[in-house]
Amino acid sequence: MDRLARLSVELNSVLSELYEEAGQRDLPQLNAPLAWLDEANGWLKYELVRLYSVDRDPVPFTYIPVDLRR
């Protein structure tokens, strides 16, 4: 497993532990920062999938310069 992928998995685990610990200690003031971390982690996962994806999404359109259009 690639180091980035492994670290991402570890981050998922740490975030889960943080949520559990904050919940057990009844610390609602940590909800917003944890949500930000969770959102950033989702963005990281998205970018890692894009980085390692062999089958990338097709481009939604093809640009044809004006002078080459018929």
Side-chain angles (χ1 to χ4, degrees), residues 4 7-8 11 39-49:
L4 277 174
L7 289 171
S8 177
L11 180 59
E39 184 175 342
N41 187 41
W43 187 11
L44 174 66
K45 284 191 273 186
Y46 171 80
E47 290 298 336
L48 287 173
V49 167

Side-chain angles (χ1 to χ4, degrees), residues 5 13 20 24 30 34 40 45 51 53 56-58 62 65 70:
S13 176
E20 281 182 37
Q24 290 173 1
L30 295 182
L34 286 172
K45 284 191 273 186
L51 179 67
S53 178
R56 295 186 182 223
D57 291 337
T62 301
R70 295 182 186 184

Side-chain angles (χ1 to χ4, degrees), residues 1-2 4 9 12 14 35 52 64:
M1 181 183 275
D2 179 75
L4 277 174
V9 170
N12 289 333
V14 169
Y52 292 114
I64 301 172

